[in-house]
Amino acid sequence: MLRQTSEQFSEQVNLQDFAMSISIQNISKTFGNFKALDNVSLHVPNGSLVALLGPSGSGKTTLLRIIAGLESAESGNVEYHGEDVTHRAAGERNVGFVFQHYALFRHMNVFENIAFGMRVRKRAKEEITKRVRELLSLVRLENLERRYPSQLSGGQRQRVALARALAIEPKVLLLDEPFGALDAKVRQELRQWLRRLHDEIHTTSVFVTHDQEEAFEVADEVVVMNKGRIEQVGSPQEVFDHPANTFVMDFLGNVNVFHGRVQAGFAHLGSLALDYPEYPHDQSSPAVVYMRPHELDIERLSNGRPHLAAEIVRIQAAGAVARIGLQTAGDNLAIQVDLSASRFAELGLKNGEKVFIAPKRVRVFVDRSPEYVI
Amino acid sequence: MTRRVLPGFGLSLSFTLTYLTLLVFLPLLACVAQVVSLTWSEFWSAAWTVRAQSAYALTFGASLIAAMIDVVLGLLIAWVLVRYEFPFKRFFDSLIDLPFALPTSVAGLVYSSLYVQSGWLGQFLVPLGIEAVYTRLAIVLMLVFIGLPFVVRTIQPVLESLEGETEEAAALLGATRLQTFLRVIFPALLPAIITGFALAFARAIGEYGSVVFVSGNIPMQTEIAPVLIVARLEEGQYAEATSVATILLVGSFSMLVFINLLERWSKRHYA
Amino acid sequence: MHSPSKPSGESLRRGLREEPGWVKWTLILIAVSIVSVLILIPVIHVFYSAIAPGVEDYWYEHGGDVATESGATGSASSDGNWFGALRQGFSAYYDNLFLDVKTRQSIVRTLIVAPSAVLLNIVFGIAAAWAVTRFRFPGRTVLISLIDLPFAISPVVAGLMLVLIFGAQGYFGEWLQEHNMQVLFGLPGLILATTFVTLPFVARELIPVMEAIGSDEEVAAVSLGANGWQVFWHITIPNIKWGLLYGVILCNARAMGEFGAVYVVSANRADTMPLRINQLFMESNDAGSFAVASVLTSLALVSLLAKVILERKTRKQMAEAARMEIPAEV
């Protein structure tokens, strides 16, 4: 239901011109010898919720801090809705920023924390009280306004930090690993909550995460980063289904990776030969073959389709997905296959059984660019 | 109770208690016994003479002012040492501890000779009407020296451990640097500042060795309570000396209790 | 709302946690001036004043008639030059320190009193830290705060207490006289007073160190069959040595410099070095008192240096201890 409203909303956004967007052009940043960002450009559309996804050291937090004005870039521009803010101080950019460890003011209670931004702007007392109350109800902390940060749980602190950031009516909301410091259950709840909140307030938001599941669940658009560069930008579906390169493929979840060869219109992986017309040359070239566990099927009989003969070595059937560990005959490659519970029940697989693995979808990368077969 | 695996509990605890009893409790008891042997009016007339009152006022007043000055100077020095880099920083940082290590009589001797009219600093100050020997100002100045490291060394570690992110958060919310200092940094330092203040104050109340050199020790004018105690003792008036000492003790003990309560409060509030 | 013409790039490049350059350098200048006036200049002045009187005398002697004198004696050594001036300065300094009988006695007395007090407080500090950090018992926290009690007592009052006990009219005064013993006006009284004033130093340093290190290693040693003293010498002492040394240095610095308590106890009859400074000052012998003061200042500077070195060591050790604890808890 909520998911649906968000989709409607993002369609509205696409119709508008990008008046509240963030635009980053050719940003570079080095720390000593370390190149944190290497000529990065990115456009964040108005009202969208974008995830910067990447491993640690990929430059995602640095990029977020440059957008906020907490860090300055060596070259390039940052624009908010077409206005160049590259040389504007952080305090004048009117951004909401949620720090990974919240950075709440320890000596101020919840109310005072949220009111801080308005107090330093010398807003009227009644206005402040009214706005803080609104925000407290928005983040569902109505009864805790007199508490100090030390008296709150991690999830509550997180929401105070968010309310504090929203209090100054920011043009953009930036969140650095917003769920990083929370335990698994709270993290799950807060993710959904943040998504719903965004659908309510529509503020253009960017958050940093290293967790692809989190990015996919919360964001409209995912920016995959690695080594100071942007590898791919797209909706979760696009990025997952059509990874631009091996890094994206590798980083986004579980995958079986094999080193094979391409030659004369075929890709070879052990006994498996797949059509690969994109490589017609006679000279063989190394290639990387990716198979997602859920894009593989297990069959008892080889019915003419390309397959790998394998033996089941491990079955873990608890949960919605049955994870089957197999070893291929001949070259002893370890492969993981995820079957739906119903498919698993239908097959009635046993440990030690000899079966055939039929790929539904395989990705072959030669020189990092993906080509699809099947 | 669960950890009696290790030997030596009886020996170490009984030695500790015996040592404390002989060295601290017994002398304290002697002091109390002396006071209790006096009648209330005897005690009061000894402890509350005009001269004594003036000595208490000076002791507590000068200590208070000195501790307040220490807070201002100490905060500034701690800030500079933690936040900035400059030549000879480590050297100046180490010098801060000198008042801890330097014998108080040496401090008193040097200060008295620095600030007299012919002294290195006095030659500039005395013509301006600033007389920093044999005056109340001299006492305050001396106590500022004695108390400075207490303030610097309590603020410094807290300032070092402050999260940079809270300052960034304040800046992002639109606070100026001054607003960030006054509303975010200073309140976070406040417990340390109060502790440092109390430590400097408590130390100043009991200080004798340095002040005796610079104050001139004129009754009713520049005589602090410890000097009065010594004067009474030298006159052989034990009861009077003990009475004055009792007031001084009560003063510093209440400071100690105050420090403890304060530390407990700040731990509860900021942990 | 924003005026785009207002460039704030400067504050951006500087970082949000820094002040403008002029503020920064003004603050540094003020801080350095405060430390210089309050601490550095006095230290320099001590050494200067210890040597200067001899040098001044020299120039006074050699000032007006340098030529005549050098002509008369024909020797360059007595010529009015800086080398000679300094030599006379140092020789007067030496005389002030070692040829004055009372000063010499005061040096010896301090060299007896301070180490004795330190030794007593080392034993106490180790015992107290062992009891307080290795066991849990009712009244433990009270005991910890009682150890700090002497810090809250003015040294003069501490001396007074001892006079009340051991003085002629004191509680033990008569008994002491009958047995022809004296505590005040001599070494026993000086040692007692100094021990009282410096009592918390070693314990205060050891308690956090031993708490941080924890008792796991000692328990392990006991489980392997070591007896109490073996555990103490082979496990505890190697672990706490730097913290202990740090406490000893602080304790010693204070013991050597103690004034108020020993002043009351000695009643001008047995001077330690700080008391001797006062005596010479009263006698208006500035050169003499600064000579003694310079020795004590040198000791204070050495203590500071040792403190800086040891602080680094103990901090490293405590950080290591903290790191060692993590896998044990997981």
Side-chain angles (χ1 to χ4, degrees):
Chain A
M1 183 66 202
L2 280 157
R3 200 60 211 177
Q4 212 176 350
T5 46
S6 101
E7 275 156 24
Q8 282 166 2
F9 181 68
S10 54
E11 263 168 38
Q12 277 174 16
V13 169
N14 291 337
L15 296 174
Q16 288 177 1
D17 54 5
F18 296 142
M20 300 272 276
S21 62
I22 304 168
S23 194
I24 294 151
Q25 282 127 26
N26 309 22
I27 291 281
S28 291
K29 173 80 181 175
T30 45
F31 294 109
N33 293 326
F34 178 69
K35 206 159 184 77
L37 290 173
D38 186 5
N39 200 26
V40 168
S41 299
L42 177 69
H43 182 78
V44 178
N46 175 25
S48 62
L49 175 51
V50 171
L52 299 180
L53 175 65
S56 62
S58 61
K60 55 192 193 303
T61 297
T62 308
L63 183 57
L64 193 78
R65 289 173 65 87
I66 286 174
I67 297 174
L70 290 172
E71 214 87 64
S72 62
E74 274 124 41
S75 61
N77 294 315
V78 179
E79 286 175 10
Y80 290 174
H81 25 98
E83 194 184 338
D84 191 345
V85 295
T86 315
H87 299 292
R88 190 178 288 170
E92 295 163 26
R93 291 192 187 192
N94 209 19
V95 293
F97 198 102
V98 177
F99 289 88
Q100 184 177 1
H101 301 286
Y102 321 131
L104 294 178
F105 306 128
R106 282 182 298 174
H107 58 280
M108 294 182 203
N109 63 30
V110 170
F111 187 99
E112 292 163 336
N113 261 285
I114 299 174
F116 182 86
M118 291 180 281
R119 285 188 176 160
V120 296
R121 278 149 211 258
K122 309 254 185 317
R123 295 282 153 79
K125 221 172 183 176
E126 307 79 56
E127 188 196 334
I128 292 175
T129 311
K130 188 166 160 277
R131 177 100 181 108
V132 173
R133 292 270 149 75
E134 279 170 21
L135 285 163
L136 281 168
S137 88
L138 183 71
V139 299
R140 283 187 268 126
L141 292 170
E142 289 95 338
N143 304 320
L144 302 179
E145 58 177 81
R146 298 278 154 238
R147 294 266 188 98
Y148 284 89
S150 59
Q151 300 165 311
L152 299 175
S153 72
Q156 289 168 335
R157 285 179 206 180
Q158 225 272 350
R159 284 182 278 155
V160 175
L162 196 57
R164 183 179 70 178
L166 291 172
I168 57 169
E169 291 169 334
K171 291 172 189 161
V172 296
L173 181 61
L174 307 172
L175 306 100
D176 185 8
E177 294 273 3
F179 313 109
L182 300 169
D183 57 51
K185 192 173 176 302
V186 182
R187 194 184 307 177
Q188 190 66 36
E189 282 169 17
L190 271 176
R191 271 185 210 167
Q192 291 161 10
W193 176 81
L194 180 68
R195 181 65 238 183
R196 287 198 299 271
L197 183 79
H198 182 261
D199 296 339
E200 264 176 67
I201 60 175
H202 321 293
T203 309
T204 308
S205 306
V206 180
F207 75 100
V208 156
T209 181
H210 62 270
D211 180 346
Q212 56 104 1
E213 219 179 291
E214 193 169 289
F216 285 1
E217 190 176 329
V218 181
D220 300 324
E221 202 157 297
V222 176
V223 177
V224 185
M225 295 189 67
N226 182 39
K227 293 184 179 162
R229 290 174 160 277
I230 291 177
E231 300 281 357
Q232 191 173 7
V233 183
S235 71
Q237 188 86 44
E238 273 166 32
V239 174
F240 191 75
D241 289 345
H242 306 287
N245 52 43
T246 53
F247 172 80
V248 179
M249 183 78 210
D250 250 336
F251 191 70
L252 299 184
N254 232 338
V255 68
N256 293 298
V257 186
F258 305 104
H259 293 276
R261 308 195 71 76
V262 284
Q263 189 177 21
F266 285 97
H268 300 276
L269 173 66
S271 61
L272 190 67
L274 302 157
D275 281 335
Y276 194 67
E278 290 78 4
Y279 193 88
H281 316 289
D282 284 340
Q283 197 190 354
S284 118
S285 167
V288 188
V289 179
Y290 285 85
M291 291 183 275
R292 288 235 164 87
H294 71 277
E295 290 171 348
L296 294 169
D297 196 8
I298 291 178
E299 285 172 6
R300 283 249 161 62
L301 299 167
S302 71
N303 39 15
R305 299 196 352 226
H307 64 259
L308 282 164
E311 184 185 329
I312 298 177
V313 292
R314 192 181 68 251
I315 296 177
Q316 187 207 317
V321 171
R323 318 210 123 160
I324 322 288
L326 303 104
Q327 201 156 40
T328 61
D331 11 87
N332 283 335
L333 299 170
I335 298 188
Q336 193 192 322
V337 177
D338 288 356
L339 296 178
S340 69
S342 59
R343 176 70 180 151
F344 178 70
E346 186 191 325
L347 285 168
L349 299 171
K350 298 264 161 4
N351 246 333
E353 222 177 312
K354 297 212 164 39
V355 293
F356 299 101
I357 301 171
K360 289 183 275 190
R361 188 177 206 176
V362 173
R363 291 174 185 83
V364 178
F365 292 86
V366 184
D367 293 336
R368 277 167 63 96
S369 67
E371 295 300 339
Y372 301 98
V373 287
I374 301 178
Chain B
M1 290 303 188
T2 51
R3 279 210 287 174
R4 289 281 160 84
V5 191
L6 294 173
F9 177 65
L11 180 67
S12 62
L13 187 64
S14 55
F15 179 82
T16 305
L17 290 177
T18 313
Y19 193 88
L20 278 176
T21 307
L22 287 178
L23 260 151
V24 182
F25 302 147
L26 228 62
L28 264 176
L29 197 69
C31 190
V32 172
Q34 178 81 26
V35 172
V36 169
S37 72
L38 301 173
T39 67
W40 178 249
S41 65
E42 274 175 329
F43 169 73
W44 200 242
S45 62
W48 214 247
T49 60
V50 183
R51 181 174 167 188
Q53 283 174 44
S54 139
Y56 303 137
L58 181 61
T59 303
F60 286 91
S63 300
L64 193 71
I65 295 168
M68 287 193 294
I69 295 173
D70 277 330
V71 162
V72 177
L73 303 185
L75 181 60
L76 193 144
I77 291 170
W79 179 271
V80 166
L81 288 176
V82 171
R83 291 296 174 100
Y84 305 140
E85 289 302 323
F86 56 94
F88 303 108
K89 179 173 141 167
R90 293 188 63 100
F91 170 74
F92 281 102
D93 193 356
S94 323
L95 270 186
I96 299 294
D97 282 324
L98 193 87
F100 281 154
L102 193 73
T104 51
S105 56
V106 176
L109 175 74
V110 189
Y111 268 60
S112 73
S113 107
L114 274 176
Y115 289 94
V116 292
Q117 192 164 3
S118 56
W120 283 6
L121 299 170
Q123 59 182 321
F124 307 112
L125 297 174
V126 174
L128 299 174
I130 303 170
E131 307 228 10
V133 269
Y134 311 130
T135 58
R136 293 182 169 190
L137 174 67
I139 300 174
V140 172
L141 183 65
M142 199 67 249
L143 295 178
V144 166
F145 170 84
I146 297 290
L148 189 66
F150 288 96
V151 180
V152 177
R153 293 302 186 223
T154 35
I155 294 176
Q156 223 175 351
V158 182
L159 196 54
E160 267 164 13
S161 71
L162 281 191
E163 281 179 281
E165 285 189 349
T166 50
E167 285 165 54
E168 290 182 342
L172 282 166
L173 291 168
T176 63
R177 193 69 193 136
L178 188 64
Q179 281 174 321
T180 304
F181 179 80
L182 293 176
R183 287 166 177 260
V184 175
I185 301 172
F186 185 78
L189 294 179
L190 197 60
I193 289 173
I194 297 172
T195 306
F197 170 83
L199 288 171
F201 185 45
R203 174 67 205 268
I205 289 173
E207 183 51 28
Y208 173 77
S210 56
V211 175
V212 82
F213 280 83
V214 298
S215 71
N217 309 314
I218 305 155
M220 308 293 295
Q221 283 178 37
T222 58
E223 184 182 59
I224 55 167
V227 172
L228 176 62
I229 295 172
V230 172
R232 290 292 188 233
L233 261 179
E234 279 169 352
E235 292 160 12
Q237 295 177 315
Y238 286 19
E240 280 82 351
T242 314
S243 305
V244 175
T246 307
I247 301 283
L248 201 60
L249 270 183
V250 170
S252 17
F253 282 167
S254 21
M255 271 320 290
L256 198 73
V257 171
F258 178 65
I259 293 172
N260 274 326
L261 289 178
L262 204 74
E263 275 168 353
R264 232 170 272 176
W265 171 80
S266 64
K267 260 183 204 159
R268 207 176 41 227
H269 229 260
Y270 296 92
Chain C
M1 202 164 89
H2 294 292
S3 51
S5 59
K6 191 175 157 195
S8 309
E10 165 60 21
S11 72
L12 200 57
R13 224 165 302 120
R14 217 171 50 227
L16 291 170
R17 295 183 70 200
E18 263 183 51
E19 291 69 40
W22 67 271
V23 174
K24 174 181 157 179
W25 286 104
T26 310
L27 291 178
I28 290 174
L29 191 71
I30 296 173
V32 165
S33 310
I34 295 168
V35 177
S36 300
V37 169
L38 283 180
I39 299 172
L40 186 57
I41 291 177
V43 170
I44 296 168
H45 189 255
V46 171
F47 293 105
Y48 172 83
S49 302
I51 307 294
V55 175
E56 273 163 24
D57 286 350
Y58 177 86
W59 286 124
Y60 182 74
E61 287 162 22
H62 297 264
D65 46 358
V66 172
T68 351
E69 204 167 304
S70 73
T73 55
S75 106
S77 68
S78 65
D79 201 349
N81 59 25
W82 274 106
F83 175 74
L86 274 179
R87 213 180 56 173
Q88 182 157 341
F90 276 105
S91 112
Y93 177 66
Y94 179 88
D95 293 353
N96 278 326
L97 270 186
F98 299 109
L99 297 189
D100 183 316
V101 179
K102 283 187 174 172
T103 300
R104 219 166 50 208
Q105 283 171 345
S106 79
I107 294 174
V108 172
R109 226 172 259 125
T110 291
L111 289 178
I112 296 169
V113 170
S116 309
V118 171
L119 208 65
L120 284 168
N121 285 332
I122 288 175
V123 178
F124 166 73
I126 291 172
W130 183 265
V132 155
T133 63
R134 294 299 177 252
F135 307 100
R136 294 289 177 273
F137 52 90
R140 179 176 159 273
T141 44
V142 178
L143 182 61
I144 293 175
S145 29
L146 282 179
I147 292 171
D148 278 347
L149 200 59
F151 279 159
I153 297 172
S154 171
V156 168
V157 178
L160 167 73
M161 289 170 177
L162 293 178
V163 171
L164 290 178
I165 295 176
F166 300 110
Q169 299 156 44
Y171 295 98
F172 293 128
E174 235 169 88
W175 185 86
L176 285 171
Q177 255 170 354
E178 278 167 20
H179 292 77
N180 209 14
M181 285 194 284
Q182 206 169 33
V183 173
L184 300 183
F185 320 127
L187 287 175
L190 294 174
I191 292 172
L192 266 179
T194 307
T195 309
F196 180 100
V197 172
T198 58
L199 182 137
F201 280 101
V202 179
R204 253 174 99 88
E205 288 311 314
L206 280 187
I207 290 171
V209 170
M210 283 178 68
E211 198 74 76
I213 290 171
S215 62
D216 294 353
E217 289 177 45
E218 286 143 3
V219 172
V222 168
S223 76
L224 293 170
N227 69 33
W229 291 114
Q230 286 171 324
V231 170
F232 179 72
W233 288 113
H234 295 294
I235 310 293
T236 311
I237 287 289
N239 271 338
I240 63 171
K241 59 178 183 243
W242 299 121
L244 181 62
L245 193 56
Y246 183 64
V248 166
I249 285 168
L250 294 183
C251 186
N252 183 60
R254 184 67 199 269
M256 290 220 165
E258 178 44 36
F259 185 84
V262 290
Y263 179 80
V264 171
V265 168
S266 76
N268 292 333
R269 286 185 233 179
D271 285 346
T272 59
M273 287 167 79
L275 296 176
R276 184 67 192 149
I277 292 176
N278 186 42
Q279 273 304 316
L280 292 164
F281 179 70
M282 294 301 188
E283 293 162 13
S284 295
N285 183 349
D286 280 4
S289 64
F290 271 106
V292 182
S294 71
V295 175
L296 287 174
T297 307
S298 308
L299 287 171
L301 291 176
V302 170
S303 300
L304 276 195
L305 192 68
K307 184 171 175 286
V308 170
I309 294 166
L310 283 173
E311 249 166 3
R312 226 172 297 157
K313 286 205 165 171
T314 45
R315 206 176 299 152
K316 211 188 285 171
Q317 198 185 12
M318 280 170 91
E320 271 167 21
R323 227 177 303 130
M324 295 275 284
E325 262 169 35
I326 296 164
E329 277 173 22
V330 165

